Amino acid sequence: MLVDRLSVPIVLAPLAGGPSTPELTAAVSGAGGLGFLASGYLSPEQMRQSIERVRELTDAPFGVNVFVVAAAAAAAAPAAAGAYREYLERVSAWARRRGLQTGEPRFDDDGFEQKLELLCERPPAAVSFTFGCPPAATIDALKDAGAEVWVTVTTVSEAMQAVQAGAQTLVVQGAEAGGHRAAFDDADAEVVPVGLLALLALVRAQLDAPLVATGGIADAATVAAVLAAGARAAQVGTAFMLCPEAGTGEAQRRAMRWGRPTELTRAFTGKLARGIRNEFLIEHRGAPSAYPQIHHLTAPMRRQARERGDAEAINLWAGEAYALARELPAAELVAELAAGARSRSEAPLSNQ
């Protein structure tokens, strides 16, 4: 498996929506880890260009992450409009008071089929999926093309579904993770996010698949902890967001020095995600589950707010340990995380 061939057990989380860049992906892969490039919110052509840029920057293996937006959501969209109409009016009024514009809620699948066609034509070393598990036929097509297939899971049942469909590696996402929850069914109110170490143990007890741990990992000690808990590697996201290679906006970079707590919210996109508390998040708690419709509603507002440097009106995705992020070149951070984790794993268990 690819994860077992890495020089260091560090995987870059995809970081869709801005922080992901070819430069960051290449830097992590070039340092011996595995960089993932986010295709989320990119057009198929933008994805192709970004992949080509990574290949210009490094000969090392890298991966590409793809959103799986449930096809059932498209059919339900017209009927579901009533479920978010009141929210649309409330958000639009809030934005107008700040001189910001909102967009029209709509469904799209983020160019899923076109992206898969491009990835099969010239595959990266790995393709990972978030928000769902693609059909077995899709997984088989990628394998036949030469890509290893990873699926991000948040429960034991999702992990079992992914393995049955043919996934070769599972990215196990704990509740501590920043950004969107990878849950297959965001509307399931009965599912309570589980912490990473507990989820690793639960999945490991049921399945023998290679596991990559993600969620709240921002220092060497936590990398060592998840490796000791059975993960083959640690997938790290928020800790890379202050690296110079990351496309993280200035407003987000400043907010990561606030020290405010994080919170799970659907306020910005209609899908549960963890971000730093700000004015918009606090005033729009209780948002309905309606992704990507609410994403398209708030996207223009968030873009304008970023241009103004208004951190109170944008999604400040960050994991629970975001305060540990530092401004280091990505290759230095990979080396530091790996070396620190190695020294801790070799340390004696007792001071005696």
Side-chain angles (χ1 to χ4, degrees):
M1 290 297 173
L2 178 59
V3 69
D4 295 321
R5 301 197 301 271
L6 300 177
S7 299
V8 294
I10 305 297
V11 176
L12 170 67
L15 300 172
S20 177
T21 65
E23 290 74 18
L24 181 60
T25 303
V28 172
S29 287
L34 184 66
F36 266 91
L37 181 73
S39 78
Y41 309 123
L42 300 181
S43 70
E45 177 59 20
Q46 288 172 324
M47 181 194 77
R48 186 192 66 78
Q49 292 175 0
S50 294
I51 291 173
E52 290 307 311
R53 178 58 178 158
V54 176
R55 289 189 168 119
E56 291 173 0
L57 293 169
T58 183
D59 293 327
F62 66 94
V64 176
N65 178 259
V66 179
F67 287 171
V68 181
V69 184
Y84 57 77
R85 184 172 295 111
E86 184 274 334
Y87 188 73
L88 182 157
E89 294 171 353
R90 182 153 53 96
V91 168
S92 297
W94 187 92
R96 283 195 300 271
R97 290 195 296 271
R98 297 182 81 102
L100 300 169
Q101 297 178 335
T102 52
E104 289 298 321
R106 60 182 173 84
F107 176 85
D108 67 71
D109 68 356
D110 201 53
F112 184 80
E113 294 297 337
Q114 301 96 314
K115 289 178 180 179
L116 264 293
E117 288 178 9
L118 288 171
L119 291 169
C120 284
E121 287 175 8
R122 193 179 177 196
V127 175
S128 69
F129 292 95
T130 302
F131 302 165
C133 181
T138 298
I139 292 177
D140 288 342
L142 285 165
K143 289 180 181 177
D144 290 344
E148 191 169 293
V149 177
W150 297 20
V151 174
T152 307
V153 300
T154 64
T155 66
V156 173
S157 62
E158 289 176 358
M160 296 178 72
Q161 181 181 334
V163 169
Q164 289 168 2
Q168 294 157 288
T169 296
L170 301 177
V171 180
V172 179
Q173 185 192 57
E176 305 92 334
H180 284 109
R181 297 284 299 152
F184 295 3
D185 182 4
D186 181 72
D188 189 348
E190 300 302 315
V191 176
V192 177
V194 178
L196 178 57
L197 290 178
L199 186 58
L200 272 174
L202 292 168
V203 173
R204 193 180 71 249
Q206 294 293 324
L207 297 166
D208 194 31
L211 307 180
V212 173
T214 191
I217 303 172
D219 64 357
T222 312
V223 173
V226 298
L227 295 178
R232 305 280 183 90
Q235 180 172 280
V236 181
T238 305
F240 283 101
M241 290 177 64
L242 295 182
C243 293
E245 300 93 339
T248 311
E250 290 304 316
Q252 169 99 30
R253 289 175 183 267
R254 290 198 309 274
M256 290 177 69
R257 298 293 178 237
W258 284 350
R260 296 180 188 175
T262 63
E263 184 175 321
L264 287 169
T265 181
R266 291 188 176 91
F268 295 97
T269 68
K271 186 170 179 64
L272 205 61
R274 183 176 296 283
I276 301 168
R277 284 182 188 167
N278 63 2
E279 184 179 330
F280 186 90
L281 186 157
I282 292 169
E283 292 193 20
H284 296 89
R285 290 184 173 123
S289 177
Y291 180 89
Q293 291 89 341
I294 290 176
H295 160 72
H296 290 300
L297 166 68
T298 66
M301 175 196 79
R302 290 180 281 134
R303 182 173 59 252
Q304 294 161 16
R306 287 189 188 94
E307 292 171 355
R308 297 180 184 182
D310 183 0
E312 298 292 352
I314 63 176
N315 50 297
L316 300 170
W317 298 154
E320 287 187 337
Y322 78 89
L324 299 178
R326 291 173 297 136
E327 296 180 7
L328 281 178
E332 289 186 24
L333 179 56
V334 170
E336 183 178 293
L337 291 173
R342 190 178 301 114
S343 66
R344 285 167 172 78
S345 66
E346 294 170 354
L349 296 179
S350 171
N351 291 325
Q352 300 300 317

